[in-house]
Amino acid sequence: MPASRSQDSCPAFVPRRSESGGLSSHPVSIASLGALIAFILSWSLVLVPSPSHANEFNKLFSEDAEQPWRLEADEVSYDQTSDQYMARGNVVIYRGDRKLTADFIRFDHQRMKAYAEGNVVLRSGADILSGSRMDIDLESQLGTVENGHIFIRANNYHLTGNRIEKLGEDSYRIDKATITTCDGDLPDWKITAQDVKVTVEGYGTAKHATLWARNLPVMYTPYFFYPAKRDRQSGFLMPELGYSKRKGAEYKQPFFWAIDESSDATFYGYYMSDRGPKLGLEYRYILSEDAKGALMVDYFRDDKVDDGTGDSSSRYGFEDEPVDFLRTNNDRYWARMSHHQKVPLDFSAKLDLDVVSDQDYLREFRDGYMGYKPTDAYFRTQFGRQIDDYNDPIRLNRFNLNRIWPKYSLNIDTRWQDDVIKRRQGDKDDTLQRLPVVDFRGAKQPLLDGPLFFDFASQYNYFWRESGPRGQRIDLYPRFYWPYRIRNYFTIEPSIGLRETTWYLDKSEFSRASDSAQAFHRELFDTRLQLNSEISRVFDIDSDTVPHVKHTILPRLIHEFMPGEDQSELPKFDGVDRIKGKNLITCALTNILTSKSRKKAVRPAPQPDEVQATPIDLPAEYDYNQFFRLELKQGFDIKEAYEDDPEDQEHRRPFLPIAADLDIRPGKYFAVDANAQWSVYENSLLSSNLALTIWDQRGDRLSVQHHLTKNSDELVDDEEDEALEASQTVYTDLEVKITERLKAFANYERNLKDNIRIQTGVGFLYQAQCWSILARYIDEPNDFKYELTINLFGLGGFGL
């Protein structure tokens, strides 16, 4: 009878069948079989197109000396003459989640050669290498795999070759190679090639490479030369092609340059048949864990201008701009940069630049390579920086130093507001710059060991402008609190703030004072009395998913007082220089609903041969979700209600608008975020913002955003002390999942105040198991564009 299955480790004894039919033992280094497995799996680096996947796949099979290799087989024999071991029938060599199986394995211990055949399968987790035969020299690490097939779970790669050979330490050859990410015998797409030769960390060649769509050849090249590096590699990226009414035919071709391990760059060539060529550069670098940066620059000489003649404004400009803001320049560019790093004394430094040639540039290049939207998304993700809106002609450039302590913060900011229109027109620029602003703040904290608390804000500014007043300002503003709890019902907190502000103007001619003074000071105080309470109750809900809901009511009553003071002769740079007196009472009421649901207990899966103990109750864990919040508040201006001027009585409006803030997020199906202000005198909405999203489990989704601002004396910009400009816009975004693979979408945006359509877009996305196709059409008042992209998962995308 054959020998029974056995398990041994290195060094180990492999059972063999003796001449008498009994069992005897011979020592053998099973660790050598570990080298066999590592060797076979190193071949996967040849066929994996993504360097990151290759590295991760290779790491799965690295040696682990602490864990032994084990061998199992129906029959194991040893030939003393040739010093060869042979295992037959359900042969398994494994360690951890790595396992090699075959019908037969022969191991030549003297010459360190191994041969396996019959259903040869090598597994590591979910990754698989299989073949009909393997012949390997463990000393030279050379060998072949016949009818090889590699499956890599990352991106679902399937890689096959009639014969895969390792010719040298880093040289390979694959005969009749195929790669795809599609499952099945007839993949939707695949790439085939003959006589593939490659040197790892070098280059590879392939003959007769063809891209197939099922049985239909789509693209063919008789000879293909490509880099085969594990790390990032330089080369051309997928191009973008398109057509638009403003630019004509378009072609964008990026080239990626892997400079070294800590820096890279992408060069862009962008051809527009009606406008001319455009060049771009992205440079990214990491100096250390705490220092990184990115620089992006693009430039082109525009063949067209918007000088107001003929149809130039409708074709190459934007007709919603005033005539004085025409774009008459040919040289156009956009440079932006961020560099963030830690500096000595635990400070953080940030340099953010944003310089654009004209007010139309970002409106014209919003999408695609080097466009505004991908640039903004990149800086948000990598640097936490929000680029100014593409419609904003004033661009912020800044250098910042900051440090945060547990109770204090120091922020040193140099801010340069670049007004593109004024710079282009060559007029004297009166844009206010802060060079610098130093802000030092303290959080609310106990004062010594007594019942009092305090916080403070302090700020130094040097205001500079090319044309207009310039000067310095120091503003000190501490506040002292005395909170007191009235049993368990109320908290009353009186506080007083003391404010000292000083100015010094660069020149006496900038002064507003009658004596042309350059130095000024102002002393103010304000008081606040705040009364808070909290009422709550927990309701039992007859539901398995949400058994409890807590309703919390937070009433607040606040009185704020500051005496009025004549500040007309003080310098005026921003809103801090004009602080109006007030005597204001504000009532606020907040309702909050919070659900409490028990998490599903996840019991550990039992291990094989584990003795099952009596089940025990696991500690209960809960999820809390604040799914509803509504705040209502209104103020009453005592100062205005009882003002002494009798002629102004009919124009008095002591009741401030009723403000509402609503947030509904139940977790499923819909979400609402809204706020509004209602005038009790005009009996109408003054402003409102609504963001509504509805979705279902199938994948359908509808988003609606509406914004309204009326021109009213009750809505004032505190910075400019002027009524807000009226506006009303609506934006909708719809996604409909027609089938499991097909999704249609549409968006619409309109300026309701001026009755102008801003954008309309429609499209669809079809997503199969290993590829997708995206088609989109976007129509704007001055332009239209379309997009068609085919994405082969694991390979990349291309299209129009």
Side-chain angles (χ1 to χ4, degrees), residues 458-515:
S458 61
Q459 191 178 88
Y460 166 80
N461 276 276
Y462 177 66
F463 298 102
W464 185 93
R465 50 165 59 100
E466 182 182 353
S467 175
R470 301 189 293 268
Q472 305 174 64
R473 185 184 70 201
I474 298 177
D475 187 42
L476 306 176
Y477 189 21
R479 176 170 289 276
F480 301 91
Y481 306 82
W482 186 17
Y484 182 73
R485 182 74 175 173
I486 303 176
R487 303 188 69 177
N488 292 324
Y489 302 113
F490 301 100
T491 297
I492 186 169
E493 184 180 70
S495 65
I496 183 171
L498 307 175
R499 192 160 198 163
E500 173 70 28
T501 310
T502 62
W503 295 263
Y504 185 81
L505 299 177
D506 287 2
K507 297 179 181 180
S508 59
E509 63 189 69
F510 297 149
S511 177
R512 293 169 175 259
S514 57
D515 58 355

Side-chain angles (χ1 to χ4, degrees), residues 46-59:
V46 182
L47 300 175
V48 180
S50 168
S52 60
H53 294 321
N55 290 335
E56 292 177 8
F57 188 72
N58 196 35
K59 289 177 183 177

Side-chain angles (χ1 to χ4, degrees), residues 523-587:
E523 291 76 30
L524 296 174
F525 78 92
D526 68 276
T527 62
R528 182 189 303 152
L529 181 63
Q530 182 166 322
L531 181 66
N532 298 332
S533 185
E534 179 176 333
I535 306 169
S536 63
R537 179 180 176 183
V538 176
F539 295 89
D540 294 329
I541 307 298
D542 188 14
S543 172
D544 295 334
T545 56
V546 183
H548 307 291
V549 172
K550 180 180 180 180
H551 181 202
T552 305
I553 301 176
L554 302 173
R556 286 180 298 151
L557 182 64
I558 305 170
H559 176 258
E560 299 172 279
F561 173 77
M562 175 183 291
E565 184 175 308
D566 182 14
Q567 304 169 57
S568 59
E569 292 193 352
L570 297 177
K572 188 177 188 306
F573 296 106
D574 58 22
V576 174
D577 301 322
R578 297 292 184 269
I579 300 178
K580 295 181 179 181
K582 62 181 175 181
N583 192 355
L584 181 67
I585 294 179
T586 302
C587 298

Side-chain angles (χ1 to χ4, degrees), residues 36-48 57-58 129 133-137 141-146 148 150 152 159 163-169 171-174 198 200 230:
L36 179 154
I37 293 178
F39 157 71
I40 296 173
L41 292 164
S42 69
W43 294 350
S44 65
L45 297 176
V46 182
L47 300 175
V48 180
F57 188 72
N58 196 35
L129 168 63
R133 290 193 302 273
M134 296 184 186
D135 196 351
I136 304 159
D137 187 323
Q141 293 285 289
L142 306 181
T144 61
V145 176
E146 301 288 343
I150 298 177
I152 303 174
L159 313 146
R163 182 180 178 88
I164 306 174
E165 300 178 75
K166 186 172 184 183
L167 306 175
E169 182 177 357
S171 298
Y172 301 84
R173 180 180 179 274
I174 306 107
V198 62
V200 178
R230 294 189 179 110

Side-chain angles (χ1 to χ4, degrees), residues 9 153 250 263 344 474 476 603 673 730:
S9 59
R153 173 62 63 185
E250 302 175 54
S263 64
I474 298 177
L476 306 176
R603 299 179 181 274
D673 188 0
V730 63

